[in-house]
Amino acid sequence: MNNKDSFDLPSLNEARKRIGDIPYVDFNLDDDCRNLGKGKTYFIKTHGCQANQRDSETMAGILDSIGFRANDSEKGADVIIINTCAVRQGAEDKVYGEIGALKRLKRENPDIIIAIAGCMAQEEKTIREISAKYPQVDLVFGTHNITNLPKLLNNIYHERKRLIEVFSNMGEIVENVPVTRFAKHKAWVNIMYGCDKFCTYCIVPYTRGKERSRLMEDVLAEIKVLKEEGYKEVCLLGQNVNAYGNDLKLGYSFGDLLEEAARIGIERIRFVTSHPWNFDDRMIEAMRDNPNIMPYLHLPLQSGNTEILRRMNRRYSAEEYLELFKKLKETLPHYAFTTDIIVGFPNESDEAFEDTLKMVDYCQYDNAYTFIYSPREGTPAAKMEDNVPMAVKEERLQRLNEKITFYANKANQKFKDQIVEVLVDGISKRNGQAYSGYTPENKLVNFTGNDVKVGEIVKVRITEAKSFSLDGVMVE
Ligand code: 5AD
Ligand code: SF4
């Protein structure tokens, strides 16, 4: 393949700009792409969040619709796509390791196509790096042009030349895109794309563009079809679901969408992620009044110190978070709460970190995802001095994790000897003789039983409560 690249670099600076109205269009396939994948296979490796998982299902759906078949691994696949995450340096390093490892496959079969997609593709530095050091990569496409995949592949098959197509700004919302969902009983449903919050540490508002909501009728229609197809659970996806509808100015909000979605009658509805900012009463009421909205809320804290929160541009103080948390606990006493916390943000003093620990002591989360701050080039925080030494960051993370584990264990003990409802995912990862699935509170349960079927909701008696999972026996 010819490695003389010609492309426009994506620009994080351009991606900052929130440009005009977004048109809604239907997916359209060029005639000359219809049989592109006949006799060929693909493999998609997915990193990162649920938005990426869902994007991979779209890529799979598009490839299936043009004749490709899925392959179990990289080996033997004609098209390999790595759907990347840019949220922390560790995630990026992993991807470079994978691209490196693919060099051998490419040498053995130069006809395979190696593609890089997702959030890393939206960064200028990734394109520069791949262009300079990774000739084995044939295609780079971003988060805004997934639906161009057939055209891009067609182009490569004809031109035999490396192709890089990444848009800094989003073009349109494409509906009726083919999708191959990876599970048959629970489904991701995008309700909005992008993020306008601009937390100073976060790359996402640059890699996924401005907040764009799907029309409520399109979201509800998708949920109805899923219910008819036998799906038991939908998870509504957005970087910040609370902001759903704001951009549309059609007079409806996330609370309205929750109500309408609940009315469809699918067994389980979940959603991620909620920002503590603009969390309105309508939403809380919908959560309180609809039993098929699962009693589980992920409410990212990030820091328990008001000054650090201000420097993170989180738009709430520690007191405001606490106030919201108390209100939610009072209104939704049966809910499980989880959170995200970053340690070692620039200027985080011992006292500021202690504030985070105090907050955890107060909130006693069911679980938390905890991270060491990772500067992301192009974000405002990357310009702040990264002045907490790594050894201190690591020690803080360890202390925090000990606390999180303590409260996770405490929360799980409540389930000991209780009978819980579990939506069965399949064979347990830990024990080939057991099954696993999740309770309404999003607790992982490993259990034994006879004639257990994936996708059914079964009753399980909890025999042992561990910090991050429950063990049990099916009772019917
Ligand atoms: N460094 C460390 N953690 C980060 N997160 C987002 N950006 C960064 C970063 N630069 C964490 C936040 C967010 C979660 C998805 O990832 O806690 O909620
Ligand atoms: Fe990673 Fe964020 Fe992109 Fe999801 S949106 S893949 S978490 S960078």
Side-chain angles (χ1 to χ4, degrees), residues 166-401:
V166 181
F167 304 149
S168 301
N169 286 308
M170 46 277 137
E172 50 213 7
I173 289 192
V174 190
E175 289 293 347
N176 298 312
V177 186
V179 52
T180 299
R181 298 189 191 268
F182 298 148
K184 297 277 167 280
H185 60 294
K186 48 188 199 183
W188 311 110
V189 175
N190 288 316
I191 64 165
M192 58 193 299
Y193 306 97
C195 181
D196 281 353
K197 288 288 171 291
F198 288 100
C199 301
T200 54
Y201 51 79
C202 190
I203 195 75
V204 177
Y206 307 86
T207 62
R208 289 196 168 263
K210 79 166 178 174
E211 283 174 356
R212 293 101 70 206
S213 300
R214 287 179 70 202
L215 295 171
M216 177 139 47
E217 66 234 43
D218 290 333
V219 175
L220 296 176
E222 185 173 339
I223 300 172
K224 275 185 200 140
V225 169
L226 288 165
K227 182 176 184 312
E228 280 157 19
E229 289 175 349
Y231 279 83
K232 298 281 167 49
E233 178 176 307
V234 291
C235 183
L236 310 180
L237 292 184
Q239 301 300 335
N240 168 28
V241 293
N242 310 21
Y244 174 77
N246 290 354
D247 55 315
L248 293 173
K249 301 188 178 67
L250 290 170
Y252 52 70
S253 66
F254 183 59
D256 298 314
L257 175 67
L258 270 182
E259 280 287 351
E260 294 293 330
R263 213 165 290 160
I264 292 171
I266 197 153
E267 275 88 343
R268 292 182 166 199
I269 298 174
R270 302 186 184 279
F271 56 88
V272 276
T273 297
S274 288
H275 193 292
W277 200 72
N278 64 14
F279 207 109
D280 64 17
D281 286 348
R282 174 90 179 117
M283 219 177 125
I284 302 175
E285 282 158 18
M287 289 158 69
R288 183 194 60 197
D289 298 338
N290 292 285
N292 57 346
I293 297 177
M294 291 298 100
Y296 165 78
L297 185 68
H298 184 64
L299 194 67
L301 167 68
Q302 312 300 3
S303 166
N305 176 272
T306 296
E307 176 55 18
I308 295 293
L309 287 168
R310 193 188 60 75
R311 290 167 59 86
M312 288 177 164
N313 191 30
R314 286 294 287 176
R315 303 162 188 240
Y316 54 83
S317 63
E319 293 70 29
E320 282 163 336
Y321 183 95
L322 208 56
E323 213 171 287
L324 173 66
F325 190 86
K326 278 186 199 161
K327 179 171 163 183
L328 289 166
K329 267 276 190 213
E330 269 162 32
T331 323
L332 309 164
H334 56 304
Y335 264 56
F337 291 87
T338 60
T339 200
D340 288 342
I341 296 172
I342 296 175
V343 301
F345 189 77
N347 277 11
E348 187 187 65
S349 61
D350 285 341
E351 293 73 28
F353 174 65
E354 292 296 330
D355 286 344
T356 298
L357 293 180
K358 269 186 227 148
M359 192 69 108
V360 171
D361 278 330
Y362 184 85
C363 297
Q364 306 200 4
Y365 298 103
D366 287 72
N367 200 353
Y369 303 90
T370 55
F371 311 102
I372 285 179
Y373 167 67
S374 170
R376 309 315 296 137
E377 195 180 305
T379 61
K383 296 192 190 81
M384 303 174 193
E385 195 194 342
D386 186 13
N387 54 7
V388 181
M390 189 44 93
V392 175
K393 288 180 181 170
E394 278 168 357
E395 195 220 298
R396 286 182 188 165
L397 184 70
Q398 199 186 330
R399 279 182 67 200
L400 175 62
N401 284 345

Side-chain angles (χ1 to χ4, degrees), residues 14-213:
E14 275 302 305
R16 262 199 79 79
K17 297 177 189 155
R18 272 37 195 153
I19 49 158
D21 285 345
I22 304 289
Y24 292 74
V25 298
D26 272 330
F27 180 69
N28 179 28
L29 193 59
D30 288 350
D31 277 339
D32 56 347
C33 293
R34 280 185 203 282
N35 291 312
L36 201 61
K38 226 172 164 194
K40 296 195 184 78
T41 62
Y42 68 89
F43 177 77
I44 304 173
K45 174 80 200 264
T46 310
H47 295 266
C49 67
Q50 295 91 340
N52 254 25
Q53 308 276 351
R54 181 61 186 78
D55 283 351
S56 289
E57 293 184 336
T58 298
M59 294 174 202
I62 292 174
L63 292 174
D64 288 338
S65 77
I66 55 174
F68 282 92
R69 277 178 306 109
N71 200 52
D72 287 346
S73 73
E74 291 92 340
K75 243 187 233 146
D78 296 296
V79 173
I80 301 167
I81 302 177
I82 307 183
N83 193 6
T84 63
C85 171
V87 85
R88 280 172 293 276
Q89 191 55 42
E92 297 210 357
D93 294 344
K94 238 192 251 167
V95 167
Y96 284 116
E98 284 175 10
I99 305 177
L102 289 175
K103 201 170 186 169
R104 200 171 52 84
L105 284 184
K106 183 78 182 172
R107 209 181 306 127
E108 284 166 10
N109 180 4
D111 287 341
I112 63 171
I113 292 181
I114 298 177
I116 303 301
C119 287
M120 271 173 76
Q122 295 293 139
E123 300 178 295
E124 297 142 50
K125 64 168 193 220
T126 307
I127 305 296
R128 275 203 208 94
E129 187 82 3
I130 287 181
S131 217
K133 297 193 197 144
Y134 297 90
Q136 66 268 44
V137 173
D138 304 287
L139 170 64
V140 183
F141 62 102
T143 59
H144 301 310
N145 57 341
I146 295 172
T147 51
N148 282 354
L149 190 50
K151 252 187 245 169
L152 296 170
L153 289 175
N154 199 15
N155 190 307
I156 295 183
Y157 281 131
H158 280 103
E159 308 269 326
R160 289 277 134 200
K161 192 168 160 263
R162 164 136 95 174
L163 189 56
I164 295 174
E165 185 187 89
V166 181
F167 304 149
S168 301
N169 286 308
M170 46 277 137
E172 50 213 7
I173 289 192
V174 190
E175 289 293 347
N176 298 312
V177 186
V179 52
T180 299
R181 298 189 191 268
F182 298 148
K184 297 277 167 280
H185 60 294
K186 48 188 199 183
W188 311 110
V189 175
N190 288 316
I191 64 165
M192 58 193 299
Y193 306 97
C195 181
D196 281 353
K197 288 288 171 291
F198 288 100
C199 301
T200 54
Y201 51 79
C202 190
I203 195 75
V204 177
Y206 307 86
T207 62
R208 289 196 168 263
K210 79 166 178 174
E211 283 174 356
R212 293 101 70 206
S213 300

